Amino acid sequence: MNNEKIIEAKGIIKTYDDSGVPVQAVRGIDYTLTKGEFTAIIGPSGSGKTTFLNVITGLDTPTEGEVWLSGRLLSKMSGNELSDFRRDHIGFIFQAYNLFPVLTVEENVEYIMLLQGVPKEERHNRVMSMLEKVGLADYAQRLPSRLSGGQQQRVAVARAMVSKPSLVIADEPTANLDSKTSGALLDMMRQLNEDTGMTFLFSTHDEIVMRRAKKLVVLTDGKLDGNSPPEEYE
Amino acid sequence: MLSKLAWRNIFRQKRRTVLTLMTMTGGFVLSSLSIGWMNGSYSNIILFFTNSRTGQIQVHHEGYLADPSIYSTIDNFEQVGSILDSIPDVRSWAPRIYTGALLALKPAGHTSNVYSSSAAASVIGIDPAREQEATGFSDQIIEGEMLTSSDADTSLSSTGQILLGKELAITLEASPGDSLILLSQAANGVVADKRYVVVGIVSTGNTQIDRRTSYITLPDAQNLFALEGKAHEIAVLSSTLNEVDNLTAAISGRLSGRNLETDSWKVFAKEFYNGMKADESSLEVMIFIIVLVAAMGVLNTVLMMVLERRREFGVMKAMGTRPGFIVRMIMLEANIMGFISILLGSIISTAGLLLLSKHGIVMDPPLDYGGAVFREMVASISPDCYWIPAICVMLTATIVSCIPALNAAHTKPAKALRTV
Ligand SMILES: Nc1ncnc2c1ncn2[C@@H]1O[C@H](COP(=O)(O)OP(=O)(O)OP(=O)(O)O)[C@@H](O)[C@H]1O
Ligand SMILES: [Mg+2]
């Protein structure tokens, strides 16, 4: 495994102050994610996992600290640059699926490639082979509302990975899935990680995910407790 | 892609879309009908005013309008008339002589030179046949009858026919059948006096005019005031109101080199025209209010839509959608709805305008416009009824959607994603 740094975060502090009462969700984190990792950030509810993931991917701005994405300082990137960077390099999987309700399964998966301007035929081929992988090839023309939760999450996985991003960020991807579906989904992602070297970073409190992660990062109360291989944690 | 998303989003919240479409369509139809109805009323009033009195175009000797003098005449008016006859859009024309005189009444039955009352009056020489054709003059005669358009003896020793304005007749205590003496000065300086018999009473509806105006035949006036072959004014009736400016220019061109000036009603009836203009700006205010109300409705639904879909915009942004794409998508949605509203509105407006143009709105009490009374106002259909509301709808959709769109596009994805 090479040591190319995909994300490098230094001294990250995030304080929410929307409601007038400041809440420090992240309290000084230094973190480096290298290419090819398959890492799960674990920690109790409210420990700051979502906040941390948001900050290191530019979905939110840190109150203090610096984030480098593939060697580029995030705070120096313009809105469009950041959009384009996420479009081309990061795939997101959300806890609540967040598929576009007005688009069919195929169109949902196709979306990022449309933004990228991938030619129609290639788009179609890649969408179909991706749907094949997640076992939803027969559902291409359905609207998300007519799929089960597990099926929707599989579409979300397909959507996040079809454009071959170098990094996939998944915030509690299995929270709404049963254990069987969760396991299958994680096996599939792990397979992709092994085959293509695609980097994965999860947040979770799901044991199924933890067990399949190559590395666990523990977050408590807005701070990292240190890295450890899953065996040690168990 | 953009249009696919926009199009499908429109049909997502059907009830809200229907509400937005109704608001926009309603705004379109209301402004369209107001424009059609106002324009119809204007052209009615203008037509009535000009048709019954002034004509839409007048020809005078140069400078006559600014300084009406008995000497500023259109010489050889028949020749000018035949030129007018050769212009296709001229429907009819009527020559007139304007002078002033002292009228003194000699009650019927009295033979001696006893005059019971007198009044200063303006005397208009009219060609009864042409005047009738042009302005339907006899409609205004409320008592007695029209001047006879015969080549009757116009000599000073014979008795002429005269029509009196209603209030003038009251001042003079004159009624049809009475004789009076007209005293004035002719263009050649000679005293003009002649005996007349009152044949009828005229009511134009405008008491100012009727208080001081009397009418005799044109040949009579020409003879009496030593203006043979001349006239002060030729009133021209155009076949269409919309073409008046072009026709004015055409006539002016054909009459060039004769020291004549040709003006449209906008010039010679300036006050009346300005009154119309003022009404037009009240129409603008009305349309502005309609647009404002519709805009509030649309703004409301666009804001609701943006709030509801906040999470989705967050996902779009997280996935690498540029802010500009989101702005364009939301604005396109509003504009598509605007476009649909214009199509729907045009259909409804056309039906409404057709109905209003056939069955006008009855004015109760009737509208009195400078003496001209209107009982029923009808709409007229013109391109204005469509393109003005259409532009308003599109502008409204664009302006009203741009702020929520910018707002949606620039919220932090993290924040948007947290909203449920
Ligand atoms: N917008 C906000 N305003 C104020 N406080 C917030 C906001 N978002 C999160 N927090 C607080 O920040 C802390 C971290 O929240 P965060 O969502 O990052 O935790 P988490 O580890 O993802 O939790 P979970 O496992 O439940 O998803 C919590 O105490 C939460 O209440
Ligand atoms: Mg969370």
Side-chain angles (χ1 to χ4, degrees), chain A residues 16 54 59-61 80 83-84 86-87 92 94 96 98 100-104 107 111-112 114-115 159, chain B residues 1 4-5 8-9 12 311-312 315-325 412-415 417-418:
Chain A
Y16 290 111
N54 284 344
L59 296 188
D60 208 344
T61 44
N80 280 347
S83 291
D84 292 355
R86 279 200 296 261
R87 180 191 71 196
F92 282 94
F94 307 96
N98 284 324
F100 298 125
V102 293
L103 299 182
T104 63
E107 288 162 345
Y111 181 82
I112 294 174
L114 269 165
L115 294 180
R159 176 175 70 171
Chain B
M1 168 71 170
K4 182 160 75 185
L5 270 172
R8 291 200 195 156
N9 280 326
R12 208 164 144 179
R311 188 183 181 82
E312 204 173 305
V315 177
M316 289 179 82
K317 283 198 77 180
M319 287 171 55
T321 312
R322 289 184 171 199
F325 184 91
K412 279 187 202 151
K415 207 167 170 182
L417 279 164
R418 224 178 288 116

Side-chain angles (χ1 to χ4, degrees), chain B residues 92-110:
Chain B
S92 53
W93 56 273
R96 291 158 185 177
I97 277 179
Y98 289 91
T99 63
L102 185 75
L103 302 180
L105 185 77
K106 198 173 186 184
H110 287 255

